[in-house]
Amino acid sequence: MFKGQLILFDVCIVGGGMVGSACAVGLAQLGLSVALVERYMPKPFAAEQAADLRVSAISYSSERFFQELGIWPHVENMRLCPYKRLSVWEKPDARTDFNCADIGVSHLGHIVENRVIQLASHQRLDSLANVSCFWQQAIKTIELEPSVKVTLDNDQLIEAKVLIGADGVNSLVRTCANIGVQGWNYSQQALGINIKINAPQQDITWQQFTPQGPVAFLPLYGQHGALVWYNHPAKIQQLKNLSRAQLKQQIVQHFPAELMDFEILDFASFPITRMHANHYVKDNVVLVGDAAHSINPLAGQGVNLGFKDVQALLGVFAKNLKQLQSVTQLHSKHLTWLAEYQQSRRRDNLLMMSAMDALYLTFGNELGPLQVLRNTGLFLANRAGPIKAKVMKYAMGL
């Protein structure tokens, strides 16, 4: 399709995952012509399929954003699980419990498989005539001056005024734009474990902190759930080498009593990294989502920060539509307004990343006085009334 032909777009997005696809939908709804390039396509959805290992806690705010984009109905047509309660503790007698009823909402958020969100966004894209999707296409070269030129492996040439990198932590777009990063690998990994519980669908997600790392439960559709076990790489490797029966024994031994009887369906490990791009905008290049930042997943905020990036970027584009569309080609000097996106998001993302690091370090410390202090804090937080409600609303994006 279009082989050997040059096509001019307002925007080219590299990366058709959750964040990149949502960005394509939003820009198309503004009336812009959009090219979306994605090399790896998700497996089509079928109700009888087992739950995926990669899931996300979609905040109340992200859900409303998906509704504005027309994506959410497609998610609902597949599968998801609302959660109404959230609990965090280290010691059982010092825990903080959040309940949606305390702030007058129906739920705190949803746990959704990443693939379901991606597929829902792709279904919405199918209805937008001003988006051209280049699926299962790798990128051969990227040129950035005077305008963006992206050459695909099939020799298709895409020209655009703005290039958006939504292509993950190892972003090719970021590399081609020569944007540096700061970050590190944490001393822990995460083991994700899909389970089937001997109980009805749950409406609570919980996390207990231990000296070796947190253990967590996330409810999924029906009788399905997901466990996350954070620990040192050597321990995670040891757990991966166990049989399912042996792994279940270890889970029962190390997870709290809140965990009901279960059957293990699947498991895999994931690295935990922190990465922050030195710039979100450079000339005619913009970074969003994991291409711009990777955060410790302790509070489940990673992908929600990416959707906040998209919302902020759409607002900047909306204010500058006439300037963008008034010429057939733009030099980077015409795109200084893109800096507003970086100003609005980089500081907020850095604050959230720093907060997660502080949480990680605080609960990973076994000093007696610090243990007393943090458990006292959790105990008091559960009785904080209006302050607790404000924390809930902030976490929900309200």
Side-chain angles (χ1 to χ4, degrees):
M1 183 178 181
F2 305 123
K3 185 173 182 180
Q5 179 183 352
L6 176 65
I7 312 173
L8 177 64
F9 295 90
D10 292 316
V11 180
C12 176
I13 302 173
V14 175
M18 295 184 288
V19 172
S21 294
C23 189
V25 172
L27 291 172
Q29 288 186 170
L30 291 176
L32 297 172
S33 60
V34 180
L36 178 62
V37 182
E38 172 57 46
R39 182 175 185 178
Y40 302 105
M41 292 298 290
K43 182 180 178 180
F45 175 79
E48 65 273 12
Q49 291 169 343
D52 294 341
L53 282 163
R54 289 193 174 273
V55 301
S56 294
I58 301 301
S59 70
Y60 196 91
S61 174
S62 294
E63 176 190 335
R64 291 194 306 178
F65 180 46
F66 282 170
Q67 289 172 340
E68 294 171 4
L69 295 178
I71 293 172
W72 195 248
H74 297 292
V75 174
E76 293 179 310
N77 286 338
M78 286 180 273
R79 59 193 184 198
L80 72 171
C81 178
Y83 62 95
K84 300 180 179 182
R85 297 176 293 147
L86 184 154
S87 294
V88 181
W89 71 92
E90 182 177 19
K91 302 295 183 183
D93 58 349
R95 61 187 284 165
T96 301
D97 300 300
F98 300 98
N99 193 313
C100 63
D102 294 339
I103 55 174
V105 296
S106 61
H107 56 278
L108 298 176
H110 284 84
I111 307 298
V112 190
E113 295 156 80
N114 292 2
R115 180 172 61 101
V116 166
I117 300 170
Q118 186 180 11
L119 288 170
S121 299
H122 290 184
Q123 290 171 16
R124 176 69 178 108
L125 286 168
D126 288 341
S127 65
L128 298 170
N130 51 333
V131 179
S132 295
C133 297
F134 299 87
W135 300 134
Q136 295 180 299
Q137 293 295 322
I139 292 175
K140 184 182 294 185
T141 62
I142 295 178
E143 300 175 43
L144 299 176
E145 291 293 346
S147 62
V148 174
K149 290 184 176 65
V150 176
T151 305
L152 306 181
D153 267 357
N154 65 354
D155 292 326
Q156 169 62 52
L157 180 59
I158 300 169
E159 185 173 12
K161 303 168 187 176
V162 178
L163 178 64
I164 296 178
D167 50 342
V169 175
N170 300 312
S171 170
L172 173 64
V173 171
R174 189 182 66 231
T175 299
C176 290
N178 198 28
I179 297 175
V181 301
Q182 301 177 34
W184 56 80
N185 289 323
Y186 291 95
S187 60
Q188 292 182 333
Q189 292 182 358
L191 183 68
I193 309 159
N194 277 1
I195 61 173
K196 186 174 183 180
I197 57 176
N198 295 322
Q201 179 171 307
Q202 299 295 293
D203 68 356
I204 184 172
T205 179
W206 49 255
Q207 182 166 257
Q208 180 183 26
F209 289 95
T210 77
Q212 294 75 36
V215 293
F217 169 78
L218 296 84
L220 297 176
Y221 65 96
Q223 293 183 284
H224 293 263
L227 303 178
V228 186
W229 192 342
Y230 298 86
N231 214 303
H232 301 294
K235 178 65 175 180
I236 295 296
Q237 185 60 48
Q238 177 189 354
L239 293 171
K240 287 171 59 180
N241 290 335
L242 298 177
S243 68
R244 293 189 180 185
Q246 291 171 327
L247 179 58
K248 181 175 180 178
Q249 289 179 345
Q250 289 292 308
I251 293 170
V252 171
Q253 181 179 341
H254 291 90
F255 275 63
E258 272 82 353
L259 181 60
M260 63 288 294
D261 187 36
F262 64 94
E263 169 193 353
I264 294 177
L265 301 178
D266 197 8
F267 57 92
S269 64
F270 308 101
I272 304 175
T273 62
R274 167 177 169 146
M275 184 280 294
H276 205 197
N278 294 336
H279 307 282
Y280 289 7
V281 174
K282 185 175 181 181
D283 298 329
N284 50 7
V285 175
V286 181
L287 304 178
V288 295
D290 284 353
H293 47 79
S294 176
I295 186 172
N296 193 307
L298 276 176
Q301 289 297 308
V303 74
N304 293 296
L305 294 181
F307 296 137
K308 286 183 178 180
D309 291 348
V310 174
Q311 288 177 280
L313 185 60
L314 293 179
V316 172
F317 269 94
K319 290 194 296 184
N320 295 276
L321 278 179
K322 289 185 178 179
Q323 183 177 352
L324 182 65
Q325 294 177 315
S326 63
V327 293
T328 56
Q329 288 188 340
L330 283 178
H331 191 275
S332 57
K333 67 182 180 182
H334 300 133
L335 297 169
T336 54
W337 47 268
L338 284 172
E340 183 181 339
Y341 159 69
Q342 175 169 296
Q343 293 165 3
S344 68
R345 291 302 303 149
R346 195 173 188 279
R347 181 176 178 274
D348 286 350
N349 286 333
L350 181 59
L351 285 173
M352 180 60 75
M353 295 168 76
S354 299
M356 291 304 99
D357 284 342
L359 193 65
Y360 173 81
L361 293 171
T362 298
F363 281 93
N365 196 310
E366 297 185 69
L367 287 175
L370 190 55
Q371 286 183 333
V372 172
L373 182 62
R374 65 192 179 222
N375 280 285
T376 301
L378 288 173
F379 178 84
L380 294 175
N382 203 42
R383 291 152 179 80
I387 296 176
K388 180 180 172 184
K390 286 184 179 179
V391 171
M392 268 195 288
K393 290 182 177 180
Y394 179 80
M396 294 168 67
L398 299 178

